[in-house]
PDB file of all heavy atoms in Angstrom:
ATOM      1  N   VAL A 482      -9.361 -12.879  -2.505  1.00  0.00           N
ATOM      2  CA  VAL A 482     -10.367 -13.932  -2.722  1.00  0.00           C
ATOM      3  C   VAL A 482     -11.629 -13.631  -1.917  1.00  0.00           C
ATOM      4  O   VAL A 482     -12.747 -13.762  -2.424  1.00  0.00           O
ATOM      5  CB  VAL A 482      -9.795 -15.313  -2.355  1.00  0.00           C
ATOM      6  CG1 VAL A 482     -10.880 -16.387  -2.408  1.00  0.00           C
ATOM      7  CG2 VAL A 482      -8.659 -15.685  -3.303  1.00  0.00           C
ATOM      8  N   TYR A 483     -11.461 -13.217  -0.666  1.00  0.00           N
ATOM      9  CA  TYR A 483     -12.624 -12.816   0.132  1.00  0.00           C
ATOM     10  C   TYR A 483     -13.405 -11.716  -0.590  1.00  0.00           C
ATOM     11  O   TYR A 483     -14.646 -11.735  -0.632  1.00  0.00           O
ATOM     12  CB  TYR A 483     -12.182 -12.265   1.488  1.00  0.00           C
ATOM     13  CG  TYR A 483     -11.722 -13.267   2.521  1.00  0.00           C
ATOM     14  CD1 TYR A 483     -11.670 -14.632   2.254  1.00  0.00           C
ATOM     15  CD2 TYR A 483     -11.320 -12.832   3.773  1.00  0.00           C
ATOM     16  CE1 TYR A 483     -11.235 -15.529   3.217  1.00  0.00           C
ATOM     17  CE2 TYR A 483     -10.888 -13.721   4.757  1.00  0.00           C
ATOM     18  CZ  TYR A 483     -10.840 -15.069   4.468  1.00  0.00           C
ATOM     19  OH  TYR A 483     -10.417 -15.952   5.431  1.00  0.00           O
ATOM     20  N   CYS A 484     -12.677 -10.735  -1.133  1.00  0.00           N
ATOM     21  CA  CYS A 484     -13.335  -9.596  -1.787  1.00  0.00           C
ATOM     22  C   CYS A 484     -14.025 -10.018  -3.082  1.00  0.00           C
ATOM     23  O   CYS A 484     -15.049  -9.444  -3.460  1.00  0.00           O
ATOM     24  CB  CYS A 484     -12.330  -8.485  -2.056  1.00  0.00           C
ATOM     25  SG  CYS A 484     -11.639  -7.770  -0.550  1.00  0.00           S
ATOM     26  N   TYR A 485     -13.491 -11.000  -3.759  1.00  0.00           N
ATOM     27  CA  TYR A 485     -14.141 -11.536  -4.953  1.00  0.00           C
ATOM     28  C   TYR A 485     -15.447 -12.238  -4.576  1.00  0.00           C
ATOM     29  O   TYR A 485     -16.469 -12.098  -5.259  1.00  0.00           O
ATOM     30  CB  TYR A 485     -13.186 -12.507  -5.651  1.00  0.00           C
ATOM     31  CG  TYR A 485     -13.802 -13.325  -6.766  1.00  0.00           C
ATOM     32  CD1 TYR A 485     -14.106 -12.749  -7.993  1.00  0.00           C
ATOM     33  CD2 TYR A 485     -14.072 -14.682  -6.597  1.00  0.00           C
ATOM     34  CE1 TYR A 485     -14.678 -13.501  -9.020  1.00  0.00           C
ATOM     35  CE2 TYR A 485     -14.627 -15.440  -7.603  1.00  0.00           C
ATOM     36  CZ  TYR A 485     -14.937 -14.846  -8.822  1.00  0.00           C
ATOM     37  OH  TYR A 485     -15.497 -15.595  -9.819  1.00  0.00           O
ATOM     38  N   LEU A 486     -15.420 -12.981  -3.495  1.00  0.00           N
ATOM     39  CA  LEU A 486     -16.589 -13.770  -3.088  1.00  0.00           C
ATOM     40  C   LEU A 486     -17.639 -12.935  -2.355  1.00  0.00           C
ATOM     41  O   LEU A 486     -18.815 -13.291  -2.349  1.00  0.00           O
ATOM     42  CB  LEU A 486     -16.136 -14.937  -2.205  1.00  0.00           C
ATOM     43  CG  LEU A 486     -15.164 -15.923  -2.869  1.00  0.00           C
ATOM     44  CD1 LEU A 486     -14.663 -16.938  -1.861  1.00  0.00           C
ATOM     45  CD2 LEU A 486     -15.835 -16.628  -4.052  1.00  0.00           C
ATOM     46  N   ASP A 487     -17.224 -11.852  -1.722  1.00  0.00           N
ATOM     47  CA  ASP A 487     -18.147 -10.930  -1.061  1.00  0.00           C
ATOM     48  C   ASP A 487     -17.395  -9.618  -0.849  1.00  0.00           C
ATOM     49  O   ASP A 487     -16.685  -9.457   0.144  1.00  0.00           O
ATOM     50  CB  ASP A 487     -18.621 -11.487   0.287  1.00  0.00           C
ATOM     51  CG  ASP A 487     -19.739 -10.649   0.909  1.00  0.00           C
ATOM     52  OD1 ASP A 487     -19.730  -9.414   0.709  1.00  0.00           O
ATOM     53  OD2 ASP A 487     -20.598 -11.217   1.593  1.00  0.00           O
ATOM     54  N   PRO A 488     -17.520  -8.676  -1.800  1.00  0.00           N
ATOM     55  CA  PRO A 488     -16.719  -7.454  -1.718  1.00  0.00           C
ATOM     56  C   PRO A 488     -16.897  -6.683  -0.415  1.00  0.00           C
ATOM     57  O   PRO A 488     -15.921  -6.132   0.115  1.00  0.00           O
ATOM     58  CB  PRO A 488     -17.202  -6.633  -2.925  1.00  0.00           C
ATOM     59  CG  PRO A 488     -17.746  -7.636  -3.880  1.00  0.00           C
ATOM     60  CD  PRO A 488     -18.330  -8.729  -3.037  1.00  0.00           C
ATOM     61  N   TYR A 489     -18.104  -6.642   0.113  1.00  0.00           N
ATOM     62  CA  TYR A 489     -18.343  -5.893   1.347  1.00  0.00           C
ATOM     63  C   TYR A 489     -17.645  -6.552   2.533  1.00  0.00           C
ATOM     64  O   TYR A 489     -16.872  -5.914   3.260  1.00  0.00           O
ATOM     65  CB  TYR A 489     -19.842  -5.781   1.601  1.00  0.00           C
ATOM     66  CG  TYR A 489     -20.194  -5.136   2.926  1.00  0.00           C
ATOM     67  CD1 TYR A 489     -20.003  -3.773   3.125  1.00  0.00           C
ATOM     68  CD2 TYR A 489     -20.701  -5.892   3.975  1.00  0.00           C
ATOM     69  CE1 TYR A 489     -20.316  -3.177   4.344  1.00  0.00           C
ATOM     70  CE2 TYR A 489     -21.015  -5.302   5.198  1.00  0.00           C
ATOM     71  CZ  TYR A 489     -20.819  -3.947   5.375  1.00  0.00           C
ATOM     72  OH  TYR A 489     -21.111  -3.370   6.585  1.00  0.00           O
ATOM     73  N   GLU A 490     -17.898  -7.842   2.748  1.00  0.00           N
ATOM     74  CA  GLU A 490     -17.280  -8.545   3.869  1.00  0.00           C
ATOM     75  C   GLU A 490     -15.766  -8.642   3.697  1.00  0.00           C
ATOM     76  O   GLU A 490     -15.005  -8.556   4.666  1.00  0.00           O
ATOM     77  CB  GLU A 490     -17.878  -9.950   4.015  1.00  0.00           C
ATOM     78  CG  GLU A 490     -19.301  -9.982   4.532  1.00  0.00           C
ATOM     79  CD  GLU A 490     -19.418  -9.519   5.988  1.00  0.00           C
ATOM     80  OE1 GLU A 490     -18.430  -9.627   6.730  1.00  0.00           O
ATOM     81  OE2 GLU A 490     -20.502  -9.046   6.353  1.00  0.00           O
ATOM     82  N   GLY A 491     -15.320  -8.826   2.455  1.00  0.00           N
ATOM     83  CA  GLY A 491     -13.880  -8.923   2.212  1.00  0.00           C
ATOM     84  C   GLY A 491     -13.142  -7.647   2.560  1.00  0.00           C
ATOM     85  O   GLY A 491     -12.049  -7.679   3.133  1.00  0.00           O
ATOM     86  N   ALA A 492     -13.732  -6.494   2.209  1.00  0.00           N
ATOM     87  CA  ALA A 492     -13.090  -5.216   2.534  1.00  0.00           C
ATOM     88  C   ALA A 492     -13.097  -4.971   4.036  1.00  0.00           C
ATOM     89  O   ALA A 492     -12.105  -4.487   4.597  1.00  0.00           O
ATOM     90  CB  ALA A 492     -13.803  -4.081   1.799  1.00  0.00           C
ATOM     91  N   LYS A 493     -14.204  -5.298   4.701  1.00  0.00           N
ATOM     92  CA  LYS A 493     -14.231  -5.199   6.159  1.00  0.00           C
ATOM     93  C   LYS A 493     -13.131  -6.059   6.776  1.00  0.00           C
ATOM     94  O   LYS A 493     -12.423  -5.634   7.700  1.00  0.00           O
ATOM     95  CB  LYS A 493     -15.591  -5.663   6.701  1.00  0.00           C
ATOM     96  CG  LYS A 493     -16.699  -4.645   6.636  1.00  0.00           C
ATOM     97  CD  LYS A 493     -18.066  -5.270   6.885  1.00  0.00           C
ATOM     98  CE  LYS A 493     -18.136  -6.033   8.180  1.00  0.00           C
ATOM     99  NZ  LYS A 493     -19.447  -6.706   8.351  1.00  0.00           N
ATOM    100  N   ALA A 494     -12.978  -7.265   6.251  1.00  0.00           N
ATOM    101  CA  ALA A 494     -11.972  -8.184   6.786  1.00  0.00           C
ATOM    102  C   ALA A 494     -10.559  -7.660   6.569  1.00  0.00           C
ATOM    103  O   ALA A 494      -9.673  -7.904   7.399  1.00  0.00           O
ATOM    104  CB  ALA A 494     -12.124  -9.561   6.142  1.00  0.00           C
ATOM    105  N   ALA A 495     -10.323  -6.939   5.458  1.00  0.00           N
ATOM    106  CA  ALA A 495      -8.993  -6.392   5.200  1.00  0.00           C
ATOM    107  C   ALA A 495      -8.600  -5.397   6.288  1.00  0.00           C
ATOM    108  O   ALA A 495      -7.487  -5.454   6.832  1.00  0.00           O
ATOM    109  CB  ALA A 495      -8.952  -5.717   3.825  1.00  0.00           C
ATOM    110  N   VAL A 496      -9.508  -4.483   6.611  1.00  0.00           N
ATOM    111  CA  VAL A 496      -9.223  -3.504   7.661  1.00  0.00           C
ATOM    112  C   VAL A 496      -9.086  -4.208   9.011  1.00  0.00           C
ATOM    113  O   VAL A 496      -8.162  -3.929   9.786  1.00  0.00           O
ATOM    114  CB  VAL A 496     -10.330  -2.433   7.726  1.00  0.00           C
ATOM    115  CG1 VAL A 496     -10.078  -1.467   8.889  1.00  0.00           C
ATOM    116  CG2 VAL A 496     -10.410  -1.663   6.413  1.00  0.00           C
ATOM    117  N   THR A 497     -10.003  -5.128   9.277  1.00  0.00           N
ATOM    118  CA  THR A 497     -10.006  -5.821  10.572  1.00  0.00           C
ATOM    119  C   THR A 497      -8.726  -6.615  10.779  1.00  0.00           C
ATOM    120  O   THR A 497      -8.143  -6.596  11.872  1.00  0.00           O
ATOM    121  CB  THR A 497     -11.226  -6.752  10.661  1.00  0.00           C
ATOM    122  OG1 THR A 497     -12.412  -5.980  10.457  1.00  0.00           O
ATOM    123  CG2 THR A 497     -11.306  -7.408  12.024  1.00  0.00           C
ATOM    124  N   GLU A 498      -8.270  -7.305   9.735  1.00  0.00           N
ATOM    125  CA  GLU A 498      -7.028  -8.073   9.888  1.00  0.00           C
ATOM    126  C   GLU A 498      -5.837  -7.150  10.123  1.00  0.00           C
ATOM    127  O   GLU A 498      -4.958  -7.441  10.956  1.00  0.00           O
ATOM    128  CB  GLU A 498      -6.758  -8.941   8.658  1.00  0.00           C
ATOM    129  CG  GLU A 498      -5.505  -9.792   8.853  1.00  0.00           C
ATOM    130  CD  GLU A 498      -5.117 -10.621   7.658  1.00  0.00           C
ATOM    131  OE1 GLU A 498      -5.866 -10.681   6.677  1.00  0.00           O
ATOM    132  OE2 GLU A 498      -4.033 -11.225   7.715  1.00  0.00           O
ATOM    133  N   ALA A 499      -5.795  -6.029   9.401  1.00  0.00           N
ATOM    134  CA  ALA A 499      -4.687  -5.102   9.588  1.00  0.00           C
ATOM    135  C   ALA A 499      -4.667  -4.546  11.016  1.00  0.00           C
ATOM    136  O   ALA A 499      -3.610  -4.490  11.660  1.00  0.00           O
ATOM    137  CB  ALA A 499      -4.783  -3.961   8.573  1.00  0.00           C
ATOM    138  N   VAL A 500      -5.840  -4.167  11.524  1.00  0.00           N
ATOM    139  CA  VAL A 500      -5.911  -3.651  12.901  1.00  0.00           C
ATOM    140  C   VAL A 500      -5.555  -4.756  13.894  1.00  0.00           C
ATOM    141  O   VAL A 500      -4.893  -4.517  14.909  1.00  0.00           O
ATOM    142  CB  VAL A 500      -7.308  -3.072  13.178  1.00  0.00           C
ATOM    143  CG1 VAL A 500      -7.442  -2.648  14.638  1.00  0.00           C
ATOM    144  CG2 VAL A 500      -7.581  -1.869  12.275  1.00  0.00           C
TER     145      VAL A 500
END
Side-chain angles (χ1 to χ4, degrees):
V482 173
Y483 285 1
C484 296
Y485 170 74
L486 300 174
D487 188 327
Y489 174 72
E490 289 292 335
K493 279 167 55 184
V496 176
T497 303
E498 183 183 353
V500 175

